[in-house]
Amino acid sequence: MTRLPALAVAALTASALLTGTADAASPPFTASVFRATHNSYSGNVDGAKNSIGYQLDHGVRFIELDIHDNGYATTHDYGVGHDSPGNLVDHSGGNPASNNLRDWLTTVNTWSAQHPAAAPIVVMLDLKDDLTDNPSFAAGNLTAVNQELESVFGGRLLRAQDYPAGQPDVDSLRGRVLPLLSGHAGSRAEYKRDVGYHPAVALNGRGQIVEVHDSGGGALWYWTGTYGADGRVTWLRHGKYDSGQTPAVALNDNGDLVEVHQSQSATTLWYHVGKLGADGEITWQASHQYDNGVQPTVAFTDATHLREIHRSQSSSQNWTWTGTLSATTVSWTGNAKTSDARFAKDTAVNGTRRVRVWTGADGPTPSNTLRADTASVAGDRIRYRQVAFDEFQNGDSAELQQGALFYGAPATESAFITSARQSGKLVRGWDFDSASQATTPPANYPATNHPYDAWYQSLLTGAAE
């Protein structure tokens, strides 16, 4: 067996005392060490790990699944594999026969349900593809990742947004599954915040919210959400719906919406009709040109009638239209000059509820980070629900480091691992395949390809199970 440096032996012995003995107090989660595997899905195809079930049976509490999104439109799921779905995947020993992520998550969930006293299991999704180019939930964006995690693990899932304050101990987290995003940095950043320009918002009497904005480069995007009793907005769905700039939106209590925008390369004005579903998804109809001009705004005057006000493309004169919504189109009449101001498209008020959308940096995030104020909360980011934790890796941007609990680096980067551990983070060191790579203090998750080798078993004596 490879001999450990004396300091590493001392640190690991202390860790074992913290995490192992039956009569000891349950240690803090962040101070504990757990068995972990690298590329867990590869079993004995790449390394000597055996099946996911075997790994969990033998104390592994960190499972890594590399996933791809390029086949999502066909399979309606992400594909597990290293360089592509199926690459280096071991389907033997009770592992799923398919490469579908849901089947692999279900394997973990089934084991967790049968072992409710087990130490918390981290399931890391290593994003091998860019998920920011997926234009909708149906195309496999990060909302779909959230939905899959929640639907598979249910009440066993410990969402990042629900992580206990302070220092939870291992025993308080037993039986729980913690999801973690790693891999593609742009996708990890988008999960924590969104960016855009010219945001506009609508709010109806049922507390449903639609936000629209442009990308600054020709794309139009939307978010939908609900206004909670605590005054916070829960954002539900996100997607791309057209090309253009300076959009505005109106929403009635039936979930009917009308969006208006200016074309990206000309001063033509266009509108969409949409229907907001209970799940937060919008069914969009085709766009239609209704005029020429710039900076359009729109509002419902009753359940089926609208007023639109925009500025002339050649002067400061405002113009108005009256619209009648009928099924999937709007009939526009009464076009005339007006001295009325355009509607305040960045603010929506309904009863005591109020939402304002704007852009601004939140610490290290970009200056065009999308933000929202309500009557109760100021400056919340418009972003995906924080179901998964977001890993910070050595070399990542400051915005990925902000608020991160999980850190990760190759096992050879001992200085990064040591510093992160000393600052109270949960640290993964991957490709941990030699006892000589042990640090003081050790990584919480020394992710190895050979978890049953004598040196690893010795090194992880006393690891939390």
Side-chain angles (χ1 to χ4, degrees):
M1 182 178 77
T2 306
R3 298 187 67 85
L4 285 170
L7 285 175
V9 171
L12 289 164
T13 300
S15 175
L17 290 172
L18 276 173
T19 58
T21 58
D23 58 349
S26 178
F29 182 38
T30 56
S32 303
V33 176
F34 305 83
R35 292 181 179 86
T37 49
H38 175 241
N39 293 344
S40 310
Y41 59 88
S42 65
N44 296 332
V45 172
D46 182 33
K49 297 178 280 282
N50 294 329
S51 68
I52 296 295
Y54 188 94
Q55 293 173 46
L56 293 168
D57 282 341
H58 289 77
V60 170
R61 296 295 178 262
F62 186 104
I63 299 295
E64 176 187 353
L65 301 172
D66 294 350
I67 66 169
H68 303 262
D69 70 343
N70 292 335
Y72 195 95
T74 301
T75 64
H76 305 294
D77 201 355
Y78 305 93
V80 173
H82 193 258
D83 295 328
S84 61
N87 176 240
L88 298 181
V89 176
D90 188 346
H91 294 289
S92 67
N95 276 345
S98 81
N99 300 317
N100 294 336
L101 174 62
R102 180 176 293 276
D103 294 336
W104 290 79
L105 295 179
T106 299
T107 297
V108 178
N109 182 61
T110 299
W111 190 95
S112 179
Q114 295 169 348
H115 300 82
I121 301 169
V122 174
V123 176
M124 190 188 80
L125 304 182
D126 192 338
L127 308 178
K128 293 298 186 181
D129 296 334
D130 181 359
L131 270 63
T132 68
D133 58 1
N134 296 339
S136 66
F137 171 84
N141 68 9
L142 288 158
T143 306
V145 174
N146 280 349
Q147 191 275 338
E148 187 154 328
L149 289 167
E150 292 184 309
S151 66
V152 171
F153 292 111
R156 273 178 285 279
L157 195 71
L158 177 56
R159 301 179 298 177
Q161 64 196 45
D162 299 329
Y163 184 75
Q167 282 283 352
D169 61 27
V170 171
D171 283 353
S172 70
L173 302 180
R174 289 187 180 276
R176 307 302 296 274
V177 177
L178 284 67
L180 175 64
L181 298 182
S182 183
H184 188 266
S187 299
R188 284 185 286 129
E190 185 176 90
Y191 192 73
K192 298 184 72 168
R193 52 85 183 137
D194 194 17
V195 295
Y197 298 90
H198 309 117
V201 69
L203 166 68
N204 69 14
R206 298 163 59 189
Q208 295 175 302
I209 297 169
V210 175
E211 183 274 346
V212 292
H213 62 272
D214 68 61
S215 67
L220 293 172
W221 293 81
Y222 68 91
W223 283 94
T224 67
T226 57
Y227 196 110
D230 61 356
R232 292 185 179 275
V233 178
T234 298
W235 299 101
L236 300 175
R237 294 290 175 91
H238 176 47
K240 179 182 177 182
Y241 66 95
D242 205 348
S243 60
Q245 60 180 318
T246 62
V249 66
L251 176 67
N252 68 19
D253 288 351
N254 296 321
D256 302 309
L257 63 96
V258 175
E259 179 271 354
V260 294
H261 64 271
Q262 178 186 338
S263 63
Q264 177 65 19
S265 58
T267 56
T268 53
L269 298 177
W270 300 75
Y271 81 92
H272 281 276
V273 171
K275 186 71 173 182
L276 177 60
D279 60 358
E281 196 56 79
I282 297 174
T283 302
W284 293 97
Q285 303 300 322
S287 64
H288 304 278
Q289 185 181 353
Y290 67 94
D291 203 352
N292 296 299
V294 296
Q295 300 178 18
T297 62
V298 67
F300 274 101
T301 56
D302 62 31
T304 58
H305 294 92
L306 305 113
R307 189 180 182 203
E308 186 273 354
I309 305 175
H310 65 270
R311 201 189 78 186
S312 167
Q313 69 271 33
S314 57
S315 72
S316 60
Q317 177 65 53
N318 284 345
W319 290 78
T320 186
W321 286 94
T322 297
T324 301
L325 176 64
S326 177
T328 61
T329 60
V330 175
S331 298
W332 298 102
T333 59
N335 183 220
K337 293 180 181 180
T338 181
S339 59
D340 293 343
R342 296 185 300 280
F343 298 111
K345 68 174 191 172
D346 65 344
T347 301
V349 179
N350 199 301
T352 59
R353 301 182 178 116
R354 175 183 177 275
V355 180
R356 181 177 76 94
V357 293
W358 52 286
T359 58
D362 184 15
T365 72
S367 61
N368 61 332
T369 299
L370 294 166
R371 313 281 294 278
D373 298 337
T374 71
S376 305
V377 181
D380 266 7
R381 299 182 191 183
I382 300 175
R383 63 178 180 178
Y384 295 99
R385 290 184 304 111
Q386 299 297 281
V387 171
F389 296 83
D390 213 334
E391 186 179 63
F392 171 70
Q393 297 182 3
N394 196 10
D396 280 343
S397 63
E399 66 172 319
L400 281 170
Q401 185 175 17
Q402 184 186 34
L405 175 64
F406 287 87
Y407 280 43
T412 54
E413 297 187 10
S414 57
F416 178 85
I417 292 170
T418 300
S419 176
R421 281 287 280 114
Q422 290 172 339
S423 63
K425 306 300 181 181
L426 286 160
V427 188
R428 172 179 69 111
W430 68 83
D431 276 334
F432 187 86
D433 288 329
S434 168
S436 63
Q437 293 172 329
T439 56
T440 306
N444 305 88
Y445 298 103
T448 185
N449 295 293
H450 302 278
Y452 316 116
D453 283 4
W455 67 266
Y456 191 80
Q457 292 293 317
S458 177
L459 193 66
L460 273 290
T461 298
E465 295 185 12

